[in-house]
Amino acid sequence: MKDLNSKSKGMYIPSFFCMKIDSLSYDEMMSDREISLFVHEYIHYLQNITTTYGLERLNYDFAILCRMVDWIKERDNADVYVPLSEDILSELTKSNKKIKDLTWGESVDIDDFAFVSVEEFDKEKIDEQRIVKTISINYQNKAGIEGLCSFGAREIYESMAYLIEQHITKDFELSPDYPYKAAIMVVNYIYPELLNDYRNLLILFDKALMSSNPGAELYSIVQWLKQIKYSDSNPTNLFLFLDHYWELSDMGERISCHKYFINRAEEVRNNLHAILNDKYFIDYHTWVDRIIDYVIYLRTNKPLFWLDLVEYGYIKNNPIWSEIINNAGSPLIETIKHDYFYVNPLGFDSSCLVYFKVFNQIYKLFVMGDTKCDLMPWCNDTRNAVNVDRTCFNCPWNHPDYHGQLCTFRGIWQHWGLSKYIINVK
Protein backbone atom coordinates (compact mmCIF):
# COMPACT_ATOMS: atom_id res chain seq x y z
CA MET A 1 0.00 0.00 0.00
CA LYS A 2 1.12 3.56 -0.73
CA ASP A 3 -0.25 6.51 1.24
CA LEU A 4 0.81 9.81 -0.30
CA ASN A 5 0.69 12.54 2.33
CA SER A 6 -2.57 11.01 3.61
CA LYS A 7 -4.30 12.37 0.51
CA SER A 8 -3.62 9.93 -2.31
CA LYS A 9 -3.70 6.24 -1.60
CA GLY A 10 -3.09 3.02 -3.43
CA MET A 11 -3.58 -0.59 -2.50
CA TYR A 12 -2.83 -3.92 -4.11
CA ILE A 13 -4.66 -6.98 -2.79
CA PRO A 14 -2.14 -9.84 -2.87
CA SER A 15 -3.32 -13.05 -4.58
CA PHE A 16 -6.55 -11.56 -5.95
CA PHE A 17 -5.11 -9.33 -8.69
CA CYS A 18 -7.04 -6.21 -7.61
CA MET A 19 -5.60 -2.69 -7.36
CA LYS A 20 -7.16 0.47 -5.97
CA ILE A 21 -5.67 3.89 -6.71
CA ASP A 22 -6.77 7.43 -5.93
CA SER A 23 -6.72 8.39 -9.58
CA LEU A 24 -9.60 9.83 -11.56
CA SER A 25 -8.95 7.41 -14.40
CA TYR A 26 -6.44 5.08 -15.97
CA ASP A 27 -5.45 6.70 -19.26
CA GLU A 28 -3.05 9.13 -20.90
CA MET A 29 -4.47 12.00 -18.83
CA MET A 30 -3.08 10.65 -15.56
CA SER A 31 -0.89 13.16 -13.72
CA ASP A 32 2.67 12.28 -12.75
CA ARG A 33 1.49 11.83 -9.15
CA GLU A 34 -1.19 9.39 -10.27
CA ILE A 35 1.34 7.57 -12.48
CA SER A 36 3.66 7.26 -9.49
CA LEU A 37 0.85 5.77 -7.43
CA PHE A 38 -0.04 3.30 -10.18
CA VAL A 39 3.59 2.26 -10.70
CA HIS A 40 4.06 1.54 -6.99
CA GLU A 41 1.03 -0.75 -6.87
CA TYR A 42 1.88 -2.35 -10.22
CA ILE A 43 5.29 -3.33 -8.82
CA HIS A 44 3.41 -5.17 -6.07
CA TYR A 45 1.52 -7.02 -8.80
CA LEU A 46 4.85 -8.04 -10.36
CA GLN A 47 6.18 -9.10 -6.97
CA ASN A 48 3.06 -11.23 -6.60
CA ILE A 49 3.58 -13.15 -9.85
CA THR A 50 7.36 -13.08 -10.42
CA THR A 51 8.61 -14.13 -6.97
CA THR A 52 8.44 -17.40 -5.10
CA TYR A 53 7.01 -15.72 -2.01
CA GLY A 54 4.27 -14.05 -4.06
CA LEU A 55 3.30 -17.34 -5.68
CA GLU A 56 3.32 -19.22 -2.39
CA ARG A 57 1.09 -16.61 -0.79
CA LEU A 58 -1.27 -16.95 -3.74
CA ASN A 59 -1.34 -20.70 -3.20
CA TYR A 60 -1.99 -20.24 0.53
CA ASP A 61 -4.94 -17.88 -0.03
CA PHE A 62 -6.57 -20.03 -2.70
CA ALA A 63 -6.07 -23.18 -0.64
CA ILE A 64 -7.93 -21.48 2.23
CA LEU A 65 -10.73 -20.34 -0.10
CA CYS A 66 -11.12 -23.85 -1.53
CA ARG A 67 -11.17 -25.41 1.94
CA MET A 68 -13.93 -23.03 3.06
CA VAL A 69 -16.03 -23.85 -0.02
CA ASP A 70 -15.46 -27.60 0.46
CA TRP A 71 -16.34 -27.37 4.16
CA ILE A 72 -19.69 -25.77 3.31
CA LYS A 73 -20.46 -28.38 0.63
CA GLU A 74 -19.68 -31.25 3.02
CA ARG A 75 -22.31 -30.08 5.52
CA ASP A 76 -25.66 -31.80 5.98
CA ASN A 77 -27.22 -28.58 7.27
CA ALA A 78 -28.09 -26.02 4.58
CA ASP A 79 -27.73 -23.09 7.02
CA VAL A 80 -24.31 -21.41 6.99
CA TYR A 81 -23.44 -18.59 9.38
CA VAL A 82 -20.93 -15.95 8.33
CA PRO A 83 -18.38 -14.96 9.22
CA LEU A 84 -17.31 -18.50 9.95
CA SER A 85 -16.38 -18.99 13.60
CA GLU A 86 -12.79 -18.67 14.77
CA ASP A 87 -12.70 -22.39 15.58
CA ILE A 88 -13.84 -23.33 12.08
CA LEU A 89 -11.45 -20.87 10.40
CA SER A 90 -8.56 -22.08 12.54
CA GLU A 91 -9.21 -25.66 11.44
CA LEU A 92 -9.64 -24.76 7.77
CA THR A 93 -6.66 -22.43 7.46
CA LYS A 94 -4.43 -24.80 9.43
CA SER A 95 -0.77 -23.88 9.00
CA ASN A 96 -1.29 -21.65 5.95
CA LYS A 97 -2.45 -18.56 7.80
CA LYS A 98 0.14 -19.02 10.53
CA ILE A 99 3.00 -19.19 8.02
CA LYS A 100 1.64 -16.20 6.09
CA ASP A 101 1.31 -14.10 9.25
CA LEU A 102 4.79 -14.98 10.49
CA THR A 103 6.52 -14.24 7.20
CA TRP A 104 4.53 -11.15 6.15
CA GLY A 105 5.67 -8.62 8.77
CA GLU A 106 3.62 -5.73 10.14
CA SER A 107 0.46 -4.31 8.58
CA VAL A 108 0.89 -0.75 9.84
CA ASP A 109 2.94 2.32 8.90
CA ILE A 110 5.11 3.97 11.55
CA ASP A 111 5.63 7.69 10.98
CA ASP A 112 7.77 8.35 14.06
CA PHE A 113 10.51 5.80 13.43
CA ALA A 114 14.22 5.83 14.19
CA PHE A 115 16.03 2.57 13.37
CA VAL A 116 18.12 1.13 16.21
CA SER A 117 19.00 -2.49 15.39
CA VAL A 118 17.81 -5.71 13.78
CA GLU A 119 18.10 -9.25 15.07
CA GLU A 120 16.79 -12.77 14.68
CA PHE A 121 13.91 -12.84 17.11
CA ASP A 122 12.35 -16.28 17.35
CA LYS A 123 11.78 -19.64 15.70
CA GLU A 124 8.22 -20.89 15.41
CA LYS A 125 7.60 -24.60 14.85
CA ILE A 126 4.84 -25.19 12.30
CA ASP A 127 5.08 -28.97 12.01
CA GLU A 128 7.73 -31.70 12.10
CA GLN A 129 9.39 -30.41 8.93
CA ARG A 130 8.93 -26.65 9.05
CA ILE A 131 10.29 -23.98 11.37
CA VAL A 132 9.73 -20.29 10.61
CA LYS A 133 12.40 -17.82 11.72
CA THR A 134 11.24 -14.28 12.50
CA ILE A 135 13.28 -11.08 12.34
CA SER A 136 12.59 -7.98 14.43
CA ILE A 137 13.61 -4.33 14.23
CA ASN A 138 14.23 -2.29 17.35
CA TYR A 139 13.32 1.38 16.92
CA GLN A 140 12.81 4.57 18.90
CA ASN A 141 10.19 7.28 18.63
CA LYS A 142 10.86 10.99 19.06
CA ALA A 143 10.51 10.67 22.83
CA GLY A 144 13.28 8.09 22.88
CA ILE A 145 10.91 5.26 23.80
CA GLU A 146 11.91 1.98 22.17
CA GLY A 147 9.55 -0.25 20.26
CA LEU A 148 9.71 -3.55 18.42
CA CYS A 149 8.28 -4.36 14.99
CA SER A 150 8.59 -7.40 12.79
CA PHE A 151 10.54 -7.47 9.55
CA GLY A 152 9.20 -9.61 6.76
CA ALA A 153 8.00 -9.75 3.18
CA ARG A 154 5.84 -6.64 3.45
CA GLU A 155 8.77 -4.44 4.45
CA ILE A 156 10.82 -5.79 1.53
CA TYR A 157 7.87 -5.38 -0.87
CA GLU A 158 7.39 -1.76 0.12
CA SER A 159 11.07 -0.82 0.26
CA MET A 160 11.66 -2.33 -3.17
CA ALA A 161 8.59 -0.71 -4.75
CA TYR A 162 9.39 2.68 -3.24
CA LEU A 163 13.00 2.47 -4.44
CA ILE A 164 12.00 1.59 -8.02
CA GLU A 165 9.25 4.22 -8.01
CA GLN A 166 11.84 6.91 -7.27
CA HIS A 167 13.86 5.96 -10.36
CA ILE A 168 11.12 5.54 -12.96
CA THR A 169 8.51 8.19 -12.01
CA LYS A 170 8.66 11.96 -11.71
CA ASP A 171 6.34 13.01 -8.89
CA PHE A 172 6.57 10.57 -6.02
CA GLU A 173 5.79 11.57 -2.44
CA LEU A 174 8.12 11.01 0.51
CA SER A 175 6.84 8.17 2.68
CA PRO A 176 7.42 6.97 6.26
CA ASP A 177 10.68 5.13 6.93
CA TYR A 178 8.69 2.13 8.08
CA PRO A 179 7.96 0.16 6.00
CA TYR A 180 9.14 2.08 2.90
CA LYS A 181 12.82 2.20 3.87
CA ALA A 182 12.94 -0.58 6.46
CA ALA A 183 14.69 -3.14 4.25
CA ILE A 184 17.30 -0.57 3.20
CA MET A 185 17.94 0.20 6.87
CA VAL A 186 18.39 -3.49 7.65
CA VAL A 187 21.02 -3.91 4.92
CA ASN A 188 22.75 -0.70 5.98
CA TYR A 189 22.86 -1.80 9.63
CA ILE A 190 24.37 -5.22 8.87
CA TYR A 191 26.70 -4.47 5.95
CA PRO A 192 26.65 -0.86 4.70
CA GLU A 193 29.29 -1.60 2.04
CA LEU A 194 26.51 -3.15 -0.06
CA LEU A 195 24.90 0.27 -0.49
CA ASN A 196 27.74 1.57 -2.68
CA ASP A 197 25.34 1.01 -5.59
CA TYR A 198 21.60 1.24 -4.83
CA ARG A 199 20.94 -1.43 -7.47
CA ASN A 200 22.55 -3.98 -5.16
CA LEU A 201 19.46 -3.51 -2.99
CA LEU A 202 17.22 -4.63 -5.85
CA ILE A 203 19.30 -7.79 -6.25
CA LEU A 204 19.17 -8.50 -2.51
CA PHE A 205 15.46 -7.80 -2.16
CA ASP A 206 14.60 -9.88 -5.19
CA LYS A 207 16.74 -12.78 -4.00
CA ALA A 208 15.03 -12.66 -0.61
CA LEU A 209 11.59 -12.68 -2.25
CA MET A 210 12.59 -15.81 -4.16
CA SER A 211 12.23 -17.70 -0.88
CA SER A 212 9.38 -18.70 1.44
CA ASN A 213 10.49 -16.38 4.25
CA PRO A 214 11.91 -13.18 2.74
CA GLY A 215 12.66 -11.29 5.97
CA ALA A 216 14.77 -14.09 7.42
CA GLU A 217 16.28 -14.78 4.00
CA LEU A 218 17.48 -11.19 3.50
CA TYR A 219 18.88 -11.13 7.03
CA SER A 220 20.80 -14.38 6.41
CA ILE A 221 22.11 -13.34 2.97
CA VAL A 222 23.46 -10.01 4.16
CA GLN A 223 25.00 -11.56 7.28
CA TRP A 224 26.72 -14.14 5.09
CA LEU A 225 28.01 -11.53 2.62
CA LYS A 226 29.45 -9.62 5.56
CA GLN A 227 31.04 -12.76 6.98
CA ILE A 228 32.82 -13.59 3.71
CA LYS A 229 33.66 -9.88 3.19
CA TYR A 230 32.02 -9.68 -0.23
CA SER A 231 33.32 -6.52 -1.88
CA ASP A 232 32.30 -6.43 -5.55
CA SER A 233 30.06 -3.37 -6.00
CA ASN A 234 28.72 -4.39 -9.44
CA PRO A 235 25.06 -5.46 -9.05
CA THR A 236 25.23 -7.90 -11.97
CA ASN A 237 28.17 -9.65 -10.35
CA LEU A 238 26.27 -9.77 -7.05
CA PHE A 239 23.37 -11.46 -8.85
CA LEU A 240 25.69 -14.02 -10.49
CA PHE A 241 27.47 -14.68 -7.20
CA LEU A 242 24.25 -15.31 -5.28
CA ASP A 243 22.76 -17.29 -8.15
CA HIS A 244 25.76 -19.62 -8.05
CA TYR A 245 26.30 -19.98 -4.30
CA TRP A 246 22.97 -19.32 -2.59
CA GLU A 247 20.47 -22.19 -2.68
CA LEU A 248 17.22 -22.99 -0.91
CA SER A 249 15.99 -26.05 0.93
CA ASP A 250 12.83 -27.78 -0.31
CA MET A 251 11.66 -30.61 1.96
CA GLY A 252 15.21 -31.05 3.22
CA GLU A 253 16.86 -31.06 -0.22
CA ARG A 254 18.99 -28.26 -1.69
CA ILE A 255 17.47 -26.64 -4.76
CA SER A 256 18.29 -23.63 -6.92
CA CYS A 257 16.11 -20.53 -6.48
CA HIS A 258 15.13 -20.72 -10.14
CA LYS A 259 13.99 -24.34 -10.01
CA TYR A 260 12.11 -23.66 -6.78
CA PHE A 261 10.32 -20.76 -8.50
CA ILE A 262 9.35 -22.90 -11.51
CA ASN A 263 7.87 -25.53 -9.19
CA ARG A 264 5.75 -22.91 -7.41
CA ALA A 265 4.65 -21.32 -10.69
CA GLU A 266 3.36 -24.65 -11.99
CA GLU A 267 1.52 -25.25 -8.70
CA VAL A 268 -0.19 -21.88 -9.08
CA ARG A 269 -1.11 -22.68 -12.68
CA ASN A 270 -2.72 -25.97 -11.65
CA ASN A 271 -4.56 -24.49 -8.66
CA LEU A 272 -5.96 -21.53 -10.60
CA HIS A 273 -7.16 -23.84 -13.35
CA ALA A 274 -8.81 -26.15 -10.81
CA ILE A 275 -10.83 -23.42 -9.10
CA LEU A 276 -12.90 -22.77 -12.26
CA ASN A 277 -12.95 -26.10 -14.07
CA ASP A 278 -15.48 -25.37 -16.79
CA LYS A 279 -15.15 -24.55 -20.49
CA TYR A 280 -17.36 -21.50 -19.91
CA PHE A 281 -14.30 -19.89 -18.30
CA ILE A 282 -11.95 -20.57 -21.22
CA ASP A 283 -10.77 -16.92 -21.35
CA TYR A 284 -9.81 -17.15 -17.70
CA HIS A 285 -7.79 -20.32 -18.31
CA THR A 286 -6.06 -18.69 -21.29
CA TRP A 287 -5.16 -15.67 -19.12
CA VAL A 288 -3.72 -17.92 -16.40
CA ASP A 289 -1.52 -19.73 -18.92
CA ARG A 290 -0.38 -16.49 -20.55
CA ILE A 291 0.69 -15.00 -17.21
CA ILE A 292 2.42 -18.12 -15.86
CA ASP A 293 4.20 -18.76 -19.16
CA TYR A 294 5.42 -15.18 -19.23
CA VAL A 295 6.76 -15.07 -15.66
CA ILE A 296 8.62 -18.34 -16.25
CA TYR A 297 10.06 -16.86 -19.46
CA LEU A 298 11.01 -13.65 -17.64
CA ARG A 299 12.77 -15.45 -14.80
CA THR A 300 14.54 -17.82 -17.16
CA ASN A 301 15.65 -15.40 -19.89
CA LYS A 302 15.73 -11.97 -18.24
CA PRO A 303 16.42 -12.52 -14.54
CA LEU A 304 17.88 -9.00 -14.21
CA PHE A 305 14.66 -7.33 -15.34
CA TRP A 306 14.49 -5.15 -12.19
CA LEU A 307 17.90 -3.67 -13.03
CA ASP A 308 16.86 -3.19 -16.65
CA LEU A 309 13.70 -1.43 -15.51
CA VAL A 310 15.48 1.24 -13.44
CA GLU A 311 18.23 1.66 -16.04
CA TYR A 312 15.80 3.11 -18.61
CA GLY A 313 14.20 5.60 -16.23
CA TYR A 314 10.85 7.37 -16.66
CA ILE A 315 8.18 4.84 -17.59
CA LYS A 316 6.75 6.79 -20.53
CA ASN A 317 10.08 6.30 -22.33
CA ASN A 318 10.98 2.96 -20.75
CA PRO A 319 11.03 -0.01 -23.19
CA ILE A 320 11.35 -2.54 -20.34
CA TRP A 321 8.23 -1.17 -18.66
CA SER A 322 6.36 -1.36 -21.97
CA GLU A 323 7.54 -4.91 -22.61
CA ILE A 324 6.49 -6.09 -19.16
CA ILE A 325 3.03 -4.49 -19.10
CA ASN A 326 2.35 -5.64 -22.67
CA ASN A 327 3.07 -9.23 -21.67
CA ALA A 328 1.99 -9.36 -18.02
CA GLY A 329 -1.04 -7.13 -18.45
CA SER A 330 -2.34 -5.57 -15.26
CA PRO A 331 -4.51 -6.45 -12.29
CA LEU A 332 -8.06 -5.10 -12.16
CA ILE A 333 -7.66 -1.35 -11.52
CA GLU A 334 -10.29 0.49 -9.47
CA THR A 335 -10.10 4.31 -9.49
CA ILE A 336 -11.27 6.82 -6.89
CA LYS A 337 -14.55 7.10 -8.86
CA HIS A 338 -14.97 3.29 -8.60
CA ASP A 339 -14.52 2.86 -12.31
CA TYR A 340 -12.71 -0.30 -13.40
CA PHE A 341 -9.89 -0.64 -15.91
CA TYR A 342 -7.46 -3.37 -16.87
CA VAL A 343 -4.68 -4.03 -19.35
CA ASN A 344 -4.78 -7.33 -21.20
CA PRO A 345 -1.62 -9.01 -22.51
CA LEU A 346 -1.10 -8.23 -26.19
CA GLY A 347 -3.31 -10.31 -28.45
CA PHE A 348 -5.70 -11.22 -25.63
CA ASP A 349 -9.13 -9.67 -25.10
CA SER A 350 -11.14 -10.64 -22.05
CA SER A 351 -12.65 -9.22 -18.86
CA CYS A 352 -11.85 -12.36 -16.87
CA LEU A 353 -9.91 -10.41 -14.20
CA VAL A 354 -13.26 -9.65 -12.59
CA TYR A 355 -13.39 -13.30 -11.50
CA PHE A 356 -10.56 -12.64 -9.06
CA LYS A 357 -12.58 -9.79 -7.59
CA VAL A 358 -15.39 -12.26 -6.95
CA PHE A 359 -12.95 -14.75 -5.39
CA ASN A 360 -11.88 -12.00 -3.01
CA GLN A 361 -15.51 -11.08 -2.24
CA ILE A 362 -16.42 -14.66 -1.38
CA TYR A 363 -13.26 -14.96 0.73
CA LYS A 364 -14.28 -11.82 2.68
CA LEU A 365 -17.85 -13.10 3.04
CA PHE A 366 -16.67 -16.26 4.80
CA VAL A 367 -13.92 -14.66 6.88
CA MET A 368 -15.42 -11.23 7.71
CA GLY A 369 -19.12 -11.56 6.95
CA ASP A 370 -18.86 -8.82 4.31
CA THR A 371 -22.06 -9.13 2.24
CA LYS A 372 -22.01 -5.96 0.11
CA CYS A 373 -20.85 -6.61 -3.44
CA ASP A 374 -18.10 -4.19 -4.52
CA LEU A 375 -18.77 -4.90 -8.17
CA MET A 376 -21.84 -2.68 -8.52
CA PRO A 377 -19.91 0.03 -10.45
CA TRP A 378 -18.64 -2.71 -12.77
CA CYS A 379 -22.14 -4.06 -13.30
CA ASN A 380 -23.55 -0.56 -13.91
CA ASP A 381 -21.08 -0.05 -16.76
CA THR A 382 -22.92 -0.26 -20.10
CA ARG A 383 -20.25 -2.71 -21.32
CA ASN A 384 -21.35 -5.23 -18.71
CA ALA A 385 -25.07 -4.39 -18.38
CA VAL A 386 -25.95 -6.25 -15.18
CA ASN A 387 -28.98 -5.02 -13.27
CA VAL A 388 -28.04 -3.70 -9.81
CA ASP A 389 -30.71 -4.31 -7.17
CA ARG A 390 -31.08 -4.74 -3.41
CA THR A 391 -29.51 -8.22 -3.45
CA CYS A 392 -26.19 -6.61 -4.42
CA PHE A 393 -26.09 -4.94 -0.99
CA ASN A 394 -26.84 -7.88 1.27
CA CYS A 395 -26.97 -11.19 -0.63
CA PRO A 396 -25.30 -11.08 -4.08
CA TRP A 397 -25.35 -14.88 -4.18
CA ASN A 398 -29.15 -14.55 -4.66
CA HIS A 399 -28.95 -12.02 -7.49
CA PRO A 400 -31.62 -12.83 -10.11
CA ASP A 401 -30.69 -13.48 -13.68
CA TYR A 402 -30.95 -10.61 -16.14
CA HIS A 403 -32.18 -11.50 -19.62
CA GLY A 404 -31.08 -15.06 -18.89
CA GLN A 405 -27.58 -14.06 -17.75
CA LEU A 406 -26.19 -14.48 -14.24
CA CYS A 407 -24.06 -11.77 -12.66
CA THR A 408 -20.43 -12.76 -12.18
CA PHE A 409 -20.79 -13.26 -8.42
CA ARG A 410 -23.78 -15.56 -8.67
CA GLY A 411 -22.31 -17.34 -11.70
CA ILE A 412 -19.22 -18.39 -9.75
CA TRP A 413 -21.28 -19.11 -6.62
CA GLN A 414 -23.49 -21.44 -8.64
CA HIS A 415 -20.49 -23.01 -10.42
CA TRP A 416 -19.07 -23.92 -7.01
CA GLY A 417 -22.31 -25.69 -6.06
CA LEU A 418 -23.23 -23.29 -3.26
CA SER A 419 -26.71 -22.30 -4.45
CA LYS A 420 -28.62 -24.64 -2.13
CA TYR A 421 -27.05 -23.22 1.03
CA ILE A 422 -28.73 -20.52 3.11
CA ILE A 423 -26.31 -17.80 4.18
CA ASN A 424 -27.05 -16.17 7.52
CA VAL A 425 -25.12 -13.11 8.73
CA LYS A 426 -24.33 -13.16 12.44
Side-chain angles (χ1 to χ4, degrees):
M1 175 182 285
K2 191 71 187 296
D3 184 338
L4 302 185
N5 201 26
S6 299
K7 294 180 181 179
S8 300
K9 296 182 180 180
M11 179 174 67
Y12 178 74
I13 304 174
S15 305
F16 294 103
F17 304 114
C18 300
M19 174 197 299
K20 294 182 179 181
I21 53 174
D22 280 1
S23 172
L24 294 176
S25 64
Y26 175 76
D27 55 29
E28 291 297 321
M29 300 304 293
M30 292 172 71
S31 68
D32 278 325
R33 175 59 58 83
E34 291 170 336
I35 290 172
S36 172
L37 194 60
F38 168 72
V39 165
H40 186 97
E41 302 309 325
Y42 188 84
I43 291 167
H44 289 330
Y45 165 64
L46 291 181
Q47 290 165 331
N48 194 180
I49 61 175
T50 68
T51 71
T52 297
Y53 178 82
L55 294 175
E56 288 193 342
R57 175 163 180 158
L58 198 155
N59 269 333
Y60 289 159
D61 287 335
F62 275 84
I64 291 170
L65 177 59
C66 290
R67 284 175 188 156
M68 290 189 292
V69 171
D70 289 343
W71 179 83
I72 290 171
K73 292 167 65 176
E74 291 166 0
R75 292 165 48 83
D76 295 327
N77 189 346
D79 284 297
V80 177
Y81 292 87
V82 295
L84 301 181
S85 71
E86 288 297 324
D87 289 343
I88 293 171
L89 287 173
S90 177
E91 175 61 26
L92 294 176
T93 59
K94 295 183 178 178
S95 61
N96 286 354
K97 185 177 184 302
K98 188 174 184 179
I99 292 173
K100 187 173 72 172
D101 290 345
L102 288 170
T103 59
W104 180 236
E106 300 284 352
S107 295
V108 297
D109 294 358
I110 304 176
D111 293 318
D112 188 5
F113 180 88
F115 187 95
V116 176
S117 64
V118 61
E119 60 187 49
E120 187 174 310
F121 184 69
D122 206 353
K123 294 181 179 180
E124 187 86 21
K125 186 174 182 179
I126 304 299
D127 51 38
E128 292 303 318
Q129 292 184 309
R130 291 177 293 181
I131 296 176
V132 175
K133 293 190 294 185
T134 57
I135 307 297
S136 293
I137 294 176
N138 296 297
Y139 70 95
Q140 287 184 345
N141 62 20
K142 288 181 180 178
I145 299 174
E146 291 200 1
L148 192 69
C149 57
S150 60
F151 177 74
R154 186 217 177 200
E155 289 69 49
I156 297 174
Y157 266 31
E158 296 294 1
S159 296
M160 186 177 185
Y162 187 43
L163 185 62
I164 295 172
E165 177 191 4
Q166 293 174 61
H167 288 86
I168 65 173
T169 69
K170 289 185 176 180
D171 189 15
F172 63 89
E173 183 77 18
L174 296 178
S175 295
D177 287 347
Y178 185 90
Y180 299 98
K181 299 178 185 176
I184 300 173
M185 291 178 168
V186 166
V187 175
N188 183 61
Y189 176 79
I190 300 172
Y191 197 29
E193 287 82 354
L194 292 171
L195 272 67
N196 290 334
D197 188 324
Y198 81 90
R199 294 174 299 172
N200 285 334
L201 292 167
L202 299 181
I203 298 299
L204 294 169
F205 297 163
D206 188 50
K207 179 61 72 173
L209 290 171
M210 294 298 281
S211 73
S212 301
N213 189 357
E217 196 75 9
L218 181 64
Y219 181 85
S220 297
I221 290 171
V222 180
Q223 288 279 17
W224 175 64
L225 291 172
K226 178 182 179 180
Q227 179 184 350
I228 64 174
K229 298 180 180 179
Y230 182 86
S231 59
D232 192 329
S233 61
N234 185 297
T236 301
N237 291 341
L238 176 59
F239 168 81
L240 294 172
F241 182 81
L242 292 175
D243 191 55
H244 181 75
Y245 289 105
W246 195 266
E247 294 181 322
L248 300 172
S249 177
D250 185 21
M251 304 303 288
E253 296 184 3
R254 304 303 293 176
I255 186 172
S256 71
C257 292
H258 182 258
K259 186 175 181 181
Y260 192 76
F261 172 81
I262 300 298
N263 292 345
R264 299 293 84 80
E266 293 300 344
E267 285 180 10
V268 167
R269 186 200 303 270
N270 292 336
N271 290 337
L272 291 183
H273 280 319
I275 203 166
L276 289 180
N277 57 349
D278 190 284
K279 63 181 180 180
Y280 175 81
F281 302 105
I282 189 168
D283 282 358
Y284 161 83
H285 293 291
T286 302
W287 183 89
V288 168
D289 284 333
R290 285 287 298 274
I291 297 304
I292 297 301
D293 287 346
Y294 178 65
V295 298
I296 290 175
Y297 164 82
L298 195 62
R299 280 292 175 189
T300 304
N301 297 282
K302 299 183 178 182
L304 293 171
F305 66 92
W306 294 117
L307 296 188
D308 296 335
L309 186 61
V310 297
E311 179 183 346
Y312 283 95
Y314 186 46
I315 67 160
K316 286 191 175 181
N317 309 310
N318 192 318
I320 305 303
W321 174 268
S322 297
E323 177 188 333
I324 289 174
I325 201 168
N326 284 336
N327 285 280
S330 78
L332 189 66
I333 305 163
E334 181 181 354
T335 69
I336 195 170
K337 296 190 298 182
H338 304 293
D339 292 331
Y340 288 97
F341 300 86
Y342 51 88
V343 179
N344 274 317
L346 282 178
F348 180 76
D349 184 18
S350 173
S351 60
C352 67
L353 278 168
V354 73
Y355 299 153
F356 290 99
K357 184 75 171 176
V358 175
F359 297 158
N360 185 233
Q361 295 249 208
I362 295 175
Y363 188 99
K364 291 192 297 181
L365 171 68
F366 294 149
V367 174
M368 297 182 288
D370 188 353
T371 61
K372 182 180 178 181
C373 184
D374 290 338
L375 281 169
M376 284 184 274
W378 168 277
C379 296
N380 269 327
D381 191 306
T382 56
R383 294 171 296 178
N384 304 310
V386 177
N387 188 40
V388 172
D389 61 25
R390 62 178 182 80
T391 64
C392 304
F393 291 88
N394 50 34
C395 54
W397 52 89
N398 288 332
H399 190 277
D401 62 30
Y402 185 61
H403 296 314
Q405 294 293 318
L406 298 179
C407 75
T408 309
F409 191 112
R410 189 181 166 199
I412 290 177
W413 187 265
Q414 183 169 298
H415 173 70
W416 285 350
L418 297 175
S419 296
K420 68 178 181 179
Y421 297 94
I422 301 170
I423 305 298
N424 303 278
V425 182
K426 296 177 184 177

